[in-house]
Amino acid sequence: MEPVLALTDTQISTWVAAFMLPLFRIAAVLMTMPIFGTTLVPNRVRLYLSLAITVVVAPSLPPMPAVHALDLSALLLIAEQILIGAALGLSLQMFFQAFVIAGQIIAVQMGMGFASMVDPVNGVSVAVIGQFFTMLVTLLFLAMNGHLVVFEVLIESFTTLPVGEGLVVANFWDLVLRLGWVLGAGLILVLPAITALLVVNIAMGVMTRAAPQLNIFSIGFPLTLVLGMGILWITLGDILNQYQPLAVDALQLLKEMIRAR
């Protein structure tokens, strides 16, 4: 008589939890983080990528708590993983939004606030310069393997913040308290350009005061626009030195949230 493979409920629950719980945390990060979490990447692709990453890293993760799929405890653990993953992804979104804010500020100052286009990432209309900064920071992030660092932090979170331990509220309050960091970082990025454009606007005001017959709208607007493009081109030469400290701060925030050293 051939032997019959008998599996207990505990064994099945352990195997399901070992794959299901990490999947929800990984999927939440991919659904909310920049680049992968945008509307340019279909949901099906993100789901397949989440499944692939989970299959690869699941054998090396710490033991998961045994849960039954339909128990309330399992639903609470799933909600916990979704919150942790979403918090990690949204904190990285803050870093990208700092460059979007920088582009919006400089576009308004140089008179290109009216030149807007549909952002395919967020599905809203943004200034063209803001969209340019978004593409620039995306390319820099990928060129410096920032996405690999995010995945490394994500996998490390299963060790420093194990499943079932509960949310560390103090760590996730850092995400809320650092919202002002986004606006401050955006202002720092374009502070030289804003200062130069302020000087240009002051000069236009002096010219209008000295020669009232000059039409400031027909002369000042195109001149401000041209000078603004030149100032933007000059300030982009130092964008890498401005990008690096902000990227380090953003990735350090991820590690602090998962209590990694």
PDB file of all heavy atoms in Angstrom, residues 210-241:
ATOM      1  N   ALA A 210      12.115 104.048 -13.511  1.00  0.00           N
ATOM      2  CA  ALA A 210      12.929 105.078 -14.167  1.00  0.00           C
ATOM      3  C   ALA A 210      12.330 105.488 -15.510  1.00  0.00           C
ATOM      4  O   ALA A 210      12.444 106.646 -15.922  1.00  0.00           O
ATOM      5  CB  ALA A 210      14.353 104.566 -14.372  1.00  0.00           C
ATOM      6  N   ALA A 211      11.731 104.517 -16.213  1.00  0.00           N
ATOM      7  CA  ALA A 211      11.139 104.824 -17.522  1.00  0.00           C
ATOM      8  C   ALA A 211       9.727 104.268 -17.562  1.00  0.00           C
ATOM      9  O   ALA A 211       9.511 103.137 -18.018  1.00  0.00           O
ATOM     10  CB  ALA A 211      11.994 104.235 -18.647  1.00  0.00           C
ATOM     11  N   PRO A 212       8.748 105.015 -17.066  1.00  0.00           N
ATOM     12  CA  PRO A 212       7.362 104.508 -17.006  1.00  0.00           C
ATOM     13  C   PRO A 212       6.768 104.202 -18.369  1.00  0.00           C
ATOM     14  O   PRO A 212       5.805 103.452 -18.472  1.00  0.00           O
ATOM     15  CB  PRO A 212       6.605 105.646 -16.314  1.00  0.00           C
ATOM     16  CG  PRO A 212       7.653 106.448 -15.605  1.00  0.00           C
ATOM     17  CD  PRO A 212       8.877 106.346 -16.468  1.00  0.00           C
ATOM     18  N   GLN A 213       7.328 104.793 -19.440  1.00  0.00           N
ATOM     19  CA  GLN A 213       6.757 104.549 -20.760  1.00  0.00           C
ATOM     20  C   GLN A 213       7.070 103.146 -21.271  1.00  0.00           C
ATOM     21  O   GLN A 213       6.461 102.711 -22.261  1.00  0.00           O
ATOM     22  CB  GLN A 213       7.288 105.596 -21.767  1.00  0.00           C
ATOM     23  CG  GLN A 213       8.778 105.531 -22.026  1.00  0.00           C
ATOM     24  CD  GLN A 213       9.569 106.353 -21.026  1.00  0.00           C
ATOM     25  OE1 GLN A 213       9.044 106.707 -19.965  1.00  0.00           O
ATOM     26  NE2 GLN A 213      10.807 106.672 -21.375  1.00  0.00           N
ATOM     27  N   LEU A 214       8.002 102.457 -20.653  1.00  0.00           N
ATOM     28  CA  LEU A 214       8.298 101.086 -21.060  1.00  0.00           C
ATOM     29  C   LEU A 214       7.154 100.160 -20.651  1.00  0.00           C
ATOM     30  O   LEU A 214       6.646 100.239 -19.538  1.00  0.00           O
ATOM     31  CB  LEU A 214       9.605 100.605 -20.424  1.00  0.00           C
ATOM     32  CG  LEU A 214      10.899 101.266 -20.916  1.00  0.00           C
ATOM     33  CD1 LEU A 214      12.080 100.716 -20.113  1.00  0.00           C
ATOM     34  CD2 LEU A 214      11.110 100.990 -22.396  1.00  0.00           C
ATOM     35  N   ASN A 215       6.773  99.305 -21.553  1.00  0.00           N
ATOM     36  CA  ASN A 215       5.746  98.314 -21.259  1.00  0.00           C
ATOM     37  C   ASN A 215       6.409  97.101 -20.598  1.00  0.00           C
ATOM     38  O   ASN A 215       7.071  96.303 -21.258  1.00  0.00           O
ATOM     39  CB  ASN A 215       5.029  97.884 -22.540  1.00  0.00           C
ATOM     40  CG  ASN A 215       3.792  97.050 -22.250  1.00  0.00           C
ATOM     41  OD1 ASN A 215       3.616  96.546 -21.145  1.00  0.00           O
ATOM     42  ND2 ASN A 215       2.940  96.925 -23.259  1.00  0.00           N
ATOM     43  N   ILE A 216       6.254  97.007 -19.282  1.00  0.00           N
ATOM     44  CA  ILE A 216       6.959  95.977 -18.533  1.00  0.00           C
ATOM     45  C   ILE A 216       6.473  94.573 -18.914  1.00  0.00           C
ATOM     46  O   ILE A 216       7.215  93.591 -18.832  1.00  0.00           O
ATOM     47  CB  ILE A 216       6.807  96.219 -17.017  1.00  0.00           C
ATOM     48  CG1 ILE A 216       7.749  95.310 -16.225  1.00  0.00           C
ATOM     49  CG2 ILE A 216       5.360  95.995 -16.592  1.00  0.00           C
ATOM     50  CD1 ILE A 216       9.194  95.510 -16.476  1.00  0.00           C
ATOM     51  N   PHE A 217       5.220  94.472 -19.359  1.00  0.00           N
ATOM     52  CA  PHE A 217       4.683  93.155 -19.693  1.00  0.00           C
ATOM     53  C   PHE A 217       5.246  92.636 -21.018  1.00  0.00           C
ATOM     54  O   PHE A 217       5.450  91.438 -21.184  1.00  0.00           O
ATOM     55  CB  PHE A 217       3.151  93.210 -19.768  1.00  0.00           C
ATOM     56  CG  PHE A 217       2.503  93.457 -18.437  1.00  0.00           C
ATOM     57  CD1 PHE A 217       2.025  94.708 -18.109  1.00  0.00           C
ATOM     58  CD2 PHE A 217       2.395  92.434 -17.504  1.00  0.00           C
ATOM     59  CE1 PHE A 217       1.432  94.948 -16.884  1.00  0.00           C
ATOM     60  CE2 PHE A 217       1.806  92.669 -16.271  1.00  0.00           C
ATOM     61  CZ  PHE A 217       1.324  93.921 -15.963  1.00  0.00           C
ATOM     62  N   SER A 218       5.497  93.538 -21.970  1.00  0.00           N
ATOM     63  CA  SER A 218       6.034  93.111 -23.263  1.00  0.00           C
ATOM     64  C   SER A 218       7.543  92.957 -23.246  1.00  0.00           C
ATOM     65  O   SER A 218       8.107  92.262 -24.091  1.00  0.00           O
ATOM     66  CB  SER A 218       5.638  94.121 -24.348  1.00  0.00           C
ATOM     67  OG  SER A 218       6.174  95.401 -24.045  1.00  0.00           O
ATOM     68  N   ILE A 219       8.213  93.596 -22.298  1.00  0.00           N
ATOM     69  CA  ILE A 219       9.678  93.521 -22.214  1.00  0.00           C
ATOM     70  C   ILE A 219      10.127  92.616 -21.073  1.00  0.00           C
ATOM     71  O   ILE A 219      10.990  91.757 -21.240  1.00  0.00           O
ATOM     72  CB  ILE A 219      10.290  94.927 -22.050  1.00  0.00           C
ATOM     73  CG1 ILE A 219       9.941  95.793 -23.268  1.00  0.00           C
ATOM     74  CG2 ILE A 219      11.796  94.835 -21.873  1.00  0.00           C
ATOM     75  CD1 ILE A 219      10.427  97.217 -23.150  1.00  0.00           C
ATOM     76  N   GLY A 220       9.519  92.818 -19.912  1.00  0.00           N
ATOM     77  CA  GLY A 220       9.991  92.102 -18.726  1.00  0.00           C
ATOM     78  C   GLY A 220       9.675  90.618 -18.751  1.00  0.00           C
ATOM     79  O   GLY A 220      10.507  89.794 -18.330  1.00  0.00           O
ATOM     80  N   PHE A 221       8.500  90.248 -19.255  1.00  0.00           N
ATOM     81  CA  PHE A 221       8.130  88.833 -19.224  1.00  0.00           C
ATOM     82  C   PHE A 221       9.053  87.972 -20.078  1.00  0.00           C
ATOM     83  O   PHE A 221       9.590  86.965 -19.592  1.00  0.00           O
ATOM     84  CB  PHE A 221       6.673  88.664 -19.654  1.00  0.00           C
ATOM     85  CG  PHE A 221       6.207  87.250 -19.666  1.00  0.00           C
ATOM     86  CD1 PHE A 221       5.941  86.574 -18.473  1.00  0.00           C
ATOM     87  CD2 PHE A 221       6.054  86.569 -20.859  1.00  0.00           C
ATOM     88  CE1 PHE A 221       5.517  85.256 -18.479  1.00  0.00           C
ATOM     89  CE2 PHE A 221       5.628  85.255 -20.866  1.00  0.00           C
ATOM     90  CZ  PHE A 221       5.374  84.598 -19.685  1.00  0.00           C
ATOM     91  N   PRO A 222       9.267  88.293 -21.367  1.00  0.00           N
ATOM     92  CA  PRO A 222      10.182  87.449 -22.151  1.00  0.00           C
ATOM     93  C   PRO A 222      11.614  87.493 -21.634  1.00  0.00           C
ATOM     94  O   PRO A 222      12.326  86.483 -21.690  1.00  0.00           O
ATOM     95  CB  PRO A 222      10.081  88.013 -23.568  1.00  0.00           C
ATOM     96  CG  PRO A 222       9.522  89.374 -23.401  1.00  0.00           C
ATOM     97  CD  PRO A 222       8.666  89.341 -22.207  1.00  0.00           C
ATOM     98  N   LEU A 223      12.042  88.666 -21.123  1.00  0.00           N
ATOM     99  CA  LEU A 223      13.395  88.754 -20.590  1.00  0.00           C
ATOM    100  C   LEU A 223      13.548  87.886 -19.346  1.00  0.00           C
ATOM    101  O   LEU A 223      14.554  87.186 -19.179  1.00  0.00           O
ATOM    102  CB  LEU A 223      13.723  90.210 -20.271  1.00  0.00           C
ATOM    103  CG  LEU A 223      15.163  90.497 -19.826  1.00  0.00           C
ATOM    104  CD1 LEU A 223      16.148  90.067 -20.901  1.00  0.00           C
ATOM    105  CD2 LEU A 223      15.343  91.967 -19.491  1.00  0.00           C
ATOM    106  N   THR A 224      12.547  87.922 -18.462  1.00  0.00           N
ATOM    107  CA  THR A 224      12.592  87.066 -17.266  1.00  0.00           C
ATOM    108  C   THR A 224      12.572  85.596 -17.634  1.00  0.00           C
ATOM    109  O   THR A 224      13.257  84.773 -17.025  1.00  0.00           O
ATOM    110  CB  THR A 224      11.402  87.386 -16.351  1.00  0.00           C
ATOM    111  OG1 THR A 224      11.414  88.776 -16.019  1.00  0.00           O
ATOM    112  CG2 THR A 224      11.471  86.569 -15.075  1.00  0.00           C
ATOM    113  N   LEU A 225      11.812  85.267 -18.663  1.00  0.00           N
ATOM    114  CA  LEU A 225      11.729  83.874 -19.099  1.00  0.00           C
ATOM    115  C   LEU A 225      13.067  83.383 -19.645  1.00  0.00           C
ATOM    116  O   LEU A 225      13.533  82.296 -19.292  1.00  0.00           O
ATOM    117  CB  LEU A 225      10.632  83.739 -20.166  1.00  0.00           C
ATOM    118  CG  LEU A 225      10.303  82.322 -20.636  1.00  0.00           C
ATOM    119  CD1 LEU A 225       9.821  81.468 -19.483  1.00  0.00           C
ATOM    120  CD2 LEU A 225       9.267  82.373 -21.737  1.00  0.00           C
ATOM    121  N   VAL A 226      13.704  84.197 -20.468  1.00  0.00           N
ATOM    122  CA  VAL A 226      14.992  83.804 -21.049  1.00  0.00           C
ATOM    123  C   VAL A 226      16.067  83.717 -19.973  1.00  0.00           C
ATOM    124  O   VAL A 226      16.849  82.758 -19.922  1.00  0.00           O
ATOM    125  CB  VAL A 226      15.399  84.783 -22.163  1.00  0.00           C
ATOM    126  CG1 VAL A 226      16.818  84.484 -22.638  1.00  0.00           C
ATOM    127  CG2 VAL A 226      14.425  84.700 -23.323  1.00  0.00           C
ATOM    128  N   LEU A 227      16.116  84.730 -19.107  1.00  0.00           N
ATOM    129  CA  LEU A 227      17.111  84.701 -18.028  1.00  0.00           C
ATOM    130  C   LEU A 227      16.843  83.542 -17.073  1.00  0.00           C
ATOM    131  O   LEU A 227      17.781  82.933 -16.555  1.00  0.00           O
ATOM    132  CB  LEU A 227      17.087  86.033 -17.272  1.00  0.00           C
ATOM    133  CG  LEU A 227      17.611  87.245 -18.044  1.00  0.00           C
ATOM    134  CD1 LEU A 227      17.457  88.514 -17.214  1.00  0.00           C
ATOM    135  CD2 LEU A 227      19.070  87.051 -18.441  1.00  0.00           C
ATOM    136  N   GLY A 228      15.573  83.233 -16.839  1.00  0.00           N
ATOM    137  CA  GLY A 228      15.253  82.100 -15.970  1.00  0.00           C
ATOM    138  C   GLY A 228      15.738  80.785 -16.534  1.00  0.00           C
ATOM    139  O   GLY A 228      16.253  79.936 -15.800  1.00  0.00           O
ATOM    140  N   MET A 229      15.587  80.595 -17.842  1.00  0.00           N
ATOM    141  CA  MET A 229      16.095  79.373 -18.458  1.00  0.00           C
ATOM    142  C   MET A 229      17.616  79.293 -18.356  1.00  0.00           C
ATOM    143  O   MET A 229      18.180  78.222 -18.114  1.00  0.00           O
ATOM    144  CB  MET A 229      15.664  79.322 -19.927  1.00  0.00           C
ATOM    145  CG  MET A 229      14.159  79.205 -20.140  1.00  0.00           C
ATOM    146  SD  MET A 229      13.469  77.684 -19.427  1.00  0.00           S
ATOM    147  CE  MET A 229      14.248  76.465 -20.461  1.00  0.00           C
ATOM    148  N   GLY A 230      18.282  80.437 -18.532  1.00  0.00           N
ATOM    149  CA  GLY A 230      19.743  80.437 -18.378  1.00  0.00           C
ATOM    150  C   GLY A 230      20.168  80.150 -16.952  1.00  0.00           C
ATOM    151  O   GLY A 230      21.128  79.403 -16.712  1.00  0.00           O
ATOM    152  N   ILE A 231      19.475  80.743 -15.991  1.00  0.00           N
ATOM    153  CA  ILE A 231      19.797  80.497 -14.581  1.00  0.00           C
ATOM    154  C   ILE A 231      19.544  79.031 -14.231  1.00  0.00           C
ATOM    155  O   ILE A 231      20.337  78.402 -13.507  1.00  0.00           O
ATOM    156  CB  ILE A 231      18.970  81.437 -13.686  1.00  0.00           C
ATOM    157  CG1 ILE A 231      19.414  82.891 -13.892  1.00  0.00           C
ATOM    158  CG2 ILE A 231      19.100  81.044 -12.221  1.00  0.00           C
ATOM    159  CD1 ILE A 231      18.493  83.903 -13.257  1.00  0.00           C
ATOM    160  N   LEU A 232      18.447  78.470 -14.733  1.00  0.00           N
ATOM    161  CA  LEU A 232      18.162  77.053 -14.482  1.00  0.00           C
ATOM    162  C   LEU A 232      19.246  76.165 -15.065  1.00  0.00           C
ATOM    163  O   LEU A 232      19.664  75.184 -14.435  1.00  0.00           O
ATOM    164  CB  LEU A 232      16.797  76.695 -15.070  1.00  0.00           C
ATOM    165  CG  LEU A 232      16.353  75.230 -14.924  1.00  0.00           C
ATOM    166  CD1 LEU A 232      16.217  74.853 -13.455  1.00  0.00           C
ATOM    167  CD2 LEU A 232      15.037  74.996 -15.662  1.00  0.00           C
ATOM    168  N   TRP A 233      19.708  76.482 -16.253  1.00  0.00           N
ATOM    169  CA  TRP A 233      20.764  75.692 -16.891  1.00  0.00           C
ATOM    170  C   TRP A 233      22.059  75.758 -16.080  1.00  0.00           C
ATOM    171  O   TRP A 233      22.769  74.759 -15.941  1.00  0.00           O
ATOM    172  CB  TRP A 233      20.993  76.218 -18.308  1.00  0.00           C
ATOM    173  CG  TRP A 233      22.152  75.565 -19.013  1.00  0.00           C
ATOM    174  CD1 TRP A 233      22.293  74.251 -19.350  1.00  0.00           C
ATOM    175  CD2 TRP A 233      23.341  76.221 -19.455  1.00  0.00           C
ATOM    176  NE1 TRP A 233      23.484  74.038 -19.974  1.00  0.00           N
ATOM    177  CE2 TRP A 233      24.159  75.228 -20.058  1.00  0.00           C
ATOM    178  CE3 TRP A 233      23.796  77.537 -19.411  1.00  0.00           C
ATOM    179  CZ2 TRP A 233      25.400  75.522 -20.613  1.00  0.00           C
ATOM    180  CZ3 TRP A 233      25.027  77.819 -19.968  1.00  0.00           C
ATOM    181  CH2 TRP A 233      25.812  76.827 -20.553  1.00  0.00           C
ATOM    182  N   ILE A 234      22.358  76.910 -15.532  1.00  0.00           N
ATOM    183  CA  ILE A 234      23.584  77.048 -14.735  1.00  0.00           C
ATOM    184  C   ILE A 234      23.471  76.283 -13.415  1.00  0.00           C
ATOM    185  O   ILE A 234      24.404  75.582 -12.992  1.00  0.00           O
ATOM    186  CB  ILE A 234      23.880  78.544 -14.484  1.00  0.00           C
ATOM    187  CG1 ILE A 234      24.206  79.242 -15.808  1.00  0.00           C
ATOM    188  CG2 ILE A 234      25.040  78.702 -13.501  1.00  0.00           C
ATOM    189  CD1 ILE A 234      24.355  80.744 -15.687  1.00  0.00           C
ATOM    190  N   THR A 235      22.314  76.402 -12.761  1.00  0.00           N
ATOM    191  CA  THR A 235      22.160  75.743 -11.452  1.00  0.00           C
ATOM    192  C   THR A 235      22.094  74.229 -11.578  1.00  0.00           C
ATOM    193  O   THR A 235      22.407  73.520 -10.613  1.00  0.00           O
ATOM    194  CB  THR A 235      20.889  76.245 -10.760  1.00  0.00           C
ATOM    195  OG1 THR A 235      19.757  76.058 -11.634  1.00  0.00           O
ATOM    196  CG2 THR A 235      21.012  77.722 -10.412  1.00  0.00           C
ATOM    197  N   LEU A 236      21.697  73.699 -12.732  1.00  0.00           N
ATOM    198  CA  LEU A 236      21.664  72.245 -12.899  1.00  0.00           C
ATOM    199  C   LEU A 236      23.056  71.625 -12.895  1.00  0.00           C
ATOM    200  O   LEU A 236      23.190  70.417 -12.724  1.00  0.00           O
ATOM    201  CB  LEU A 236      20.948  71.878 -14.208  1.00  0.00           C
ATOM    202  CG  LEU A 236      19.433  72.006 -14.210  1.00  0.00           C
ATOM    203  CD1 LEU A 236      18.873  71.655 -15.579  1.00  0.00           C
ATOM    204  CD2 LEU A 236      18.822  71.098 -13.145  1.00  0.00           C
ATOM    205  N   GLY A 237      24.084  72.448 -13.079  1.00  0.00           N
ATOM    206  CA  GLY A 237      25.446  71.920 -13.017  1.00  0.00           C
ATOM    207  C   GLY A 237      25.823  71.420 -11.643  1.00  0.00           C
ATOM    208  O   GLY A 237      26.751  70.608 -11.518  1.00  0.00           O
ATOM    209  N   ASP A 238      25.111  71.873 -10.613  1.00  0.00           N
ATOM    210  CA  ASP A 238      25.414  71.456  -9.236  1.00  0.00           C
ATOM    211  C   ASP A 238      24.313  70.569  -8.667  1.00  0.00           C
ATOM    212  O   ASP A 238      24.239  70.374  -7.460  1.00  0.00           O
ATOM    213  CB  ASP A 238      25.585  72.705  -8.356  1.00  0.00           C
ATOM    214  CG  ASP A 238      26.246  72.371  -7.019  1.00  0.00           C
ATOM    215  OD1 ASP A 238      27.264  71.659  -7.017  1.00  0.00           O
ATOM    216  OD2 ASP A 238      25.721  72.814  -5.975  1.00  0.00           O
ATOM    217  N   ILE A 239      23.468  70.017  -9.533  1.00  0.00           N
ATOM    218  CA  ILE A 239      22.327  69.242  -9.040  1.00  0.00           C
ATOM    219  C   ILE A 239      22.778  67.962  -8.351  1.00  0.00           C
ATOM    220  O   ILE A 239      22.125  67.489  -7.414  1.00  0.00           O
ATOM    221  CB  ILE A 239      21.367  68.919 -10.219  1.00  0.00           C
ATOM    222  CG1 ILE A 239      20.052  68.335  -9.700  1.00  0.00           C
ATOM    223  CG2 ILE A 239      22.037  67.976 -11.199  1.00  0.00           C
ATOM    224  CD1 ILE A 239      19.240  69.271  -8.885  1.00  0.00           C
ATOM    225  N   LEU A 240      23.899  67.388  -8.786  1.00  0.00           N
ATOM    226  CA  LEU A 240      24.355  66.133  -8.176  1.00  0.00           C
ATOM    227  C   LEU A 240      24.767  66.345  -6.725  1.00  0.00           C
ATOM    228  O   LEU A 240      24.456  65.517  -5.859  1.00  0.00           O
ATOM    229  CB  LEU A 240      25.514  65.546  -8.976  1.00  0.00           C
ATOM    230  CG  LEU A 240      26.012  64.174  -8.527  1.00  0.00           C
ATOM    231  CD1 LEU A 240      24.896  63.142  -8.621  1.00  0.00           C
ATOM    232  CD2 LEU A 240      27.206  63.732  -9.365  1.00  0.00           C
ATOM    233  N   ASN A 241      25.438  67.456  -6.444  1.00  0.00           N
ATOM    234  CA  ASN A 241      25.831  67.745  -5.066  1.00  0.00           C
ATOM    235  C   ASN A 241      24.628  68.040  -4.179  1.00  0.00           C
ATOM    236  O   ASN A 241      24.700  67.859  -2.954  1.00  0.00           O
ATOM    237  CB  ASN A 241      26.796  68.938  -5.036  1.00  0.00           C
ATOM    238  CG  ASN A 241      28.120  68.614  -5.700  1.00  0.00           C
ATOM    239  OD1 ASN A 241      28.574  67.469  -5.686  1.00  0.00           O
ATOM    240  ND2 ASN A 241      28.753  69.618  -6.301  1.00  0.00           N
TER     241      ASN A 241
END
